Amino acid sequence: MDISAVLTVATQAAGASGMVTVSTRAARWMRTRARFRDQANIARELLGLHQSRLIAYRHDSKHVLYGGTQSLHPDNLHGLAAASGNAYVSAQQTGRLRVEDEILTHAAHDLALIGSPTSEGLSRLLFGYAPDGDPDSLAADQIPLDLPFRWVISKNGIADSAVARRLVAGRGLVERPNWRIAGPDRLYVPRVDEDGLLLEDYLLVTKVRNYLSHSAIDEGHFIVSFGGSHGTGTRALELLFKDREVLSGIADRLRQRPAAFQMLLRVSDIKHDRTVGSYARKIELVDDPIVLPDRDSIWRTATGIAQRSIHGSSTAHPDPP
């Protein structure tokens, strides 16, 4: 089952009246918190998570560990809650969170995809991945866009001995092939210790125009993808929106508001907790974001390639070209 969460409400502060007195120290703290919230909101907008726009958040159970179940990977759930900010919690608490079996790509909203193509089905179509003889192994196939960063998630490209171990809430110790990310001039391979425990991971952020259909392009919709080499990288979204230095760096580097870009972040200082799972405590930009060409011809060509894959899949039903 393709399970997706659609957030249909924006967080709004409740109206209040009356006078409140606070100490000078508390006032300074409140101003600092307000500036930080503003900074986090600005970073969300620059990354493509516009609070003024309706966004559908997808993260489905394509992960091999959750195949045949309605359970969702807890690392992706953390990423979903972090990417959506207070909107997810607010919608859940007020009963206005809408969960749908699928999100149609022609709907009037942007898309936020949580998780790499190993777990997020639409990402496979968007970035051109398909199984290569093993349901837990994906290789490039009919690539719509030539991107500087790509996940390496094929077992044919990784030695059998290259594994990464981490703790996943509800499952305990999990061993996975040590997936990596290919950059313009090097491979980014997550480091592990002598026992194979994950020491650092990577989070790839990609923002593109929604080229899954021509109508989505015409209506100005976008797609933003957050996918780690492993789930720990995806989960680090909750760390990203708490880190002042990284948020400031994002705001500075994306101040020109490019329509499309890729950005790689390294996460480290990973704590392996048997109760809540493995999670990172440090995040940093690997390098400046790479701005992608934004020409209509590029997106239209990508639509044609994506459509050929989509027509053979039941995970999405976009408008015809």
Side-chain angles (χ1 to χ4, degrees), residues 73-138:
H73 201 297
D75 289 339
N76 287 357
L77 276 174
H78 282 281
L80 168 65
S84 59
N86 293 330
Y88 179 84
V89 175
S90 174
Q92 190 175 48
Q93 291 176 344
T94 59
R96 291 182 289 175
L97 175 67
R98 196 170 79 237
V99 179
E100 299 183 354
D101 284 346
E102 65 180 25
I103 295 175
L104 304 181
T105 60
H106 66 257
H109 48 56
D110 298 338
L111 290 174
L113 310 180
I114 311 298
S116 76
T118 59
S119 61
E120 208 299 294
L122 187 57
S123 293
R124 300 184 183 188
L125 300 175
L126 181 72
F127 297 110
Y129 287 90
D132 61 348
D134 184 322
D136 191 26
S137 180
L138 301 174

Side-chain angles (χ1 to χ4, degrees), residues 65-66 71-78 166-174 231-232 235 238 271-279:
L65 296 180
Y66 293 85
S71 299
L72 301 176
H73 201 297
D75 289 339
N76 287 357
L77 276 174
H78 282 281
R166 71 184 199 279
L167 294 168
V168 176
R171 287 194 173 262
L173 186 65
V174 168
T232 304
R235 178 173 180 165
E238 61 186 359
K271 180 175 177 57
H272 300 283
D273 188 295
R274 293 196 172 275
T275 301
V276 301
S278 299
Y279 60 93

Side-chain angles (χ1 to χ4, degrees), residues 179-233:
W179 308 129
R180 59 279 317 264
I181 292 175
D185 53 11
R186 57 162 289 191
L187 274 176
Y188 294 88
V189 182
R191 290 193 305 113
V192 299
D193 67 12
E194 61 273 13
D195 297 317
L197 280 175
L198 200 62
L199 294 175
E200 78 179 19
D201 198 4
Y202 292 95
L203 170 62
L204 178 59
V205 180
T206 304
K207 182 186 176 186
V208 293
R209 293 192 182 275
N210 186 343
Y211 57 80
L212 293 174
S213 71
H214 288 316
S215 62
I217 296 173
D218 293 338
E219 293 168 12
H221 294 308
F222 288 89
I223 295 177
V224 58
S225 163
F226 302 95
S229 311
H230 301 285
T232 304

Side-chain angles (χ1 to χ4, degrees), residues 10-24:
T11 304
Q12 294 181 346
S17 60
M19 182 178 293
V20 179
T21 59
V22 296
S23 68
T24 302

